[in-house]
Amino acid sequence: MKAAIFREFGPPDVLKYETVPDPVPRSGEVRIKVHAATVNRVLDVALRAGKQGQRGAVLPLIPGVDCAGTIDALGPDVATWRVGERVASAGVMPLDVCSEDGTGYTGPRGMMGIKRPGGFAELVCVPACAVDRLPAGLDFHQAAVVLRHCPTAWNLLVNLAELKRGESVLIMGAGGNLGSIGIQIAKNVIGAKVITTAGSDDRVKTGLALGADHGINYRTHGLTQEILRITGGKGVDVLYDNIANPEVLPKAFKGLGQFGRLVTAGAHGGPVVPIDFFHLYDRRITIKGSPTHDPADHAKCFQAAAEGKIKVQIAHVLPLSKAAEAHRMMEADPGMGKIVLDPTLS
Ligand SMILES: NC(=O)c1ccc[n+]([C@@H]2O[C@H](COP(=O)([O-])OP(=O)(O)OC[C@H]3O[C@@H](n4cnc5c(N)ncnc54)[C@H](OP(=O)(O)O)[C@@H]3O)[C@@H](O)[C@H]2O)c1
């Protein structure tokens, strides 16, 4: 099969497009014919550059922390999956042989594309317990991006913040991955009143186009004042951040109302942010952080996407042979949207 593979950390050129042996599924594993794998700034690009503390990556490595495609072969002892089923897989999973449903497994775990071969390949083997069925109507490119970002956003807004219909939420980073999906979960799934903010008019427009009720460019408008104006002085119930911009987050925090909840899974714009502790205790605010998610939410995310409630932003779909080029594009443009690699285009 063809795969993108690197044998040393370094510039994008270390990522080679090569012919390698087809992987053979072990007991409890399925093999997926990959139609989509997302390119990620941290987990692929920074990792390949050697800027991620290597995260225990095993070289040579086929990167790609997710994939969507069809089941192409079954390992021994796999009974619940069929060849040809449309599926996706991502994230932390067993590294050793395990039972089909993963019960009783106590061995090491790690992410595909870091500690076991990933999705930048025509074929990839994953444990059957780490595979999700795709609903009809959701294409592979969308499915891979949904699986990459939606469960984290879902966990923050639904499980941690417990955002309710009719409550108000401020979504930071309107044009970003978690921001754009967060807007749609809050609006189309939960039914909240959504205010979003970003550092450019274009990104604010993206947020409004995705369904936000109000958009604020924090560079041209007073963020706290605008939040209070829109909410009639009350402030928002939930602040969904994921950026930790030390210039912007303190202003958003002052826009959190009584019993407000701040949730976050990221801090690439910080990480250190000055917070007004008087506002924190005076308004009985809680802060919750988690970079993880509940795998039980995968199916809810796929269903919401299949119903058109969540549309992911894809900037480019490239053949797998362009993997190094995709890394170069991401390094050159910090604002580059999502790139999906499709090995069937190669
Ligand atoms: N599955 C997931 O998506 C997941 C899981 C766990 C953790 N995370 C973490 O969550 C965070 C957000 O991920 P994402 O994919 O949504 O990020 P993203 O799309 O790359 O960026 C989100 C927003 O951050 C702002 N931004 C970008 N670079 C910045 C910088 N250098 N300084 C300040 N602001 C900057 C921009 O908004 P403005 O308009 O404000 O400029 C951008 O739209 C990351 O730290 C990521 O590691 C993500």
Side-chain angles (χ1 to χ4, degrees), residues 40-43 55 145-153 156 172-181 197-200 203-204 218-219 240-246 248 264-270 290-293 334-338:
N40 295 280
R41 201 172 298 285
V42 173
L43 297 174
R55 289 182 177 238
V145 182
V146 166
L147 185 54
R148 176 97 308 273
H149 298 294
C150 189
T152 305
L156 291 170
M172 309 294 280
N177 296 308
L178 287 183
S180 59
I181 290 180
T197 186
S200 78
R203 292 199 288 278
V204 170
Y218 61 71
R219 292 193 199 283
Y240 167 95
D241 182 57
N242 305 311
I243 301 170
N245 184 323
V248 184
T264 178
H268 60 280
S290 172
T292 59
H293 66 267
M336 173 64 62
K338 205 78 211 163

Side-chain angles (χ1 to χ4, degrees), residues 222-268:
L223 185 55
T224 316
Q225 294 84 341
E226 282 298 295
I227 297 165
L228 293 177
R229 183 186 64 74
I230 292 165
T231 57
K234 274 180 58 190
V236 286
D237 297 300
V238 170
L239 167 54
Y240 167 95
D241 182 57
N242 305 311
I243 301 170
N245 184 323
E247 303 298 322
V248 184
L249 184 51
K251 295 174 188 164
F253 189 75
K254 292 293 286 284
L256 254 179
Q258 193 81 352
F259 300 110
R261 294 93 79 194
L262 162 57
V263 288
T264 178
H268 60 280

Side-chain angles (χ1 to χ4, degrees), residues 55-341:
R55 289 182 177 238
V58 180
L59 301 187
L61 179 68
I62 298 173
V65 291
D66 53 52
C67 70
T70 52
I71 292 186
D72 154 90
L74 304 174
D77 304 317
V78 175
T80 56
W81 295 97
R82 297 283 171 266
V83 168
E85 284 195 276
R86 301 170 73 255
V87 296
S89 185
V92 176
M93 53 187 72
L95 300 178
D96 288 340
V97 168
C98 61
S99 65
E100 184 180 13
D101 61 5
T103 52
Y105 180 80
T106 55
R109 292 174 183 270
M111 290 184 92
M112 64 182 287
I114 297 181
K115 291 198 171 177
R116 57 182 292 149
F120 287 16
E122 288 181 309
L123 300 168
V124 62
C125 293
V126 292
C129 65
V131 174
D132 295 293
R133 219 167 246 116
L134 298 182
L138 184 61
D139 71 44
F140 294 126
H141 300 163
Q142 292 262 324
V145 182
V146 166
L147 185 54
R148 176 97 308 273
H149 298 294
C150 189
T152 305
W154 193 286
N155 188 50
L156 291 170
L157 288 170
V158 177
N159 305 335
L160 295 191
E162 299 181 72
L163 178 65
K164 303 282 186 304
R165 169 176 289 278
E167 284 192 320
S168 57
V169 56
L170 175 65
I171 305 278
M172 309 294 280
N177 296 308
L178 287 183
S180 59
I181 290 180
I183 289 169
Q184 297 173 84
I185 293 173
K187 186 73 196 170
N188 303 337
V189 177
I190 298 173
K193 176 175 173 181
V194 179
I195 306 171
T196 193
T197 186
S200 78
D201 284 346
D202 280 352
R203 292 199 288 278
V204 170
K205 270 189 203 150
T206 299
L208 290 168
L210 291 171
D213 300 290
H214 303 272
I216 305 166
N217 179 338
Y218 61 71
R219 292 193 199 283
T220 55
H221 289 76
L223 185 55
T224 316
Q225 294 84 341
E226 282 298 295
I227 297 165
L228 293 177
R229 183 186 64 74
I230 292 165
T231 57
K234 274 180 58 190
V236 286
D237 297 300
V238 170
L239 167 54
Y240 167 95
D241 182 57
N242 305 311
I243 301 170
N245 184 323
E247 303 298 322
V248 184
L249 184 51
K251 295 174 188 164
F253 189 75
K254 292 293 286 284
L256 254 179
Q258 193 81 352
F259 300 110
R261 294 93 79 194
L262 162 57
V263 288
T264 178
H268 60 280
V272 179
V273 177
I275 287 293
D276 181 335
F277 267 65
F278 172 75
H279 190 71
L280 174 81
Y281 72 73
D282 184 56
R283 300 298 165 98
R284 283 87 165 151
I285 288 168
T286 51
I287 301 178
K288 291 184 182 175
S290 172
T292 59
H293 66 267
D294 182 351
D297 291 335
H298 293 182
K300 298 172 196 166
C301 288
F302 288 136
Q303 195 52 41
E307 289 169 8
K309 293 177 177 166
I310 295 168
K311 294 190 179 78
V312 297
Q313 312 293 299
I314 298 177
H316 300 280
V317 177
L318 299 177
L320 179 60
S321 55
K322 301 275 187 216
E325 177 63 16
H327 275 213
R328 260 182 233 110
M329 288 162 67
M330 277 217 160
E331 285 189 345
D333 180 1
M336 173 64 62
K338 205 78 211 163
I339 302 177
V340 171
L341 297 176

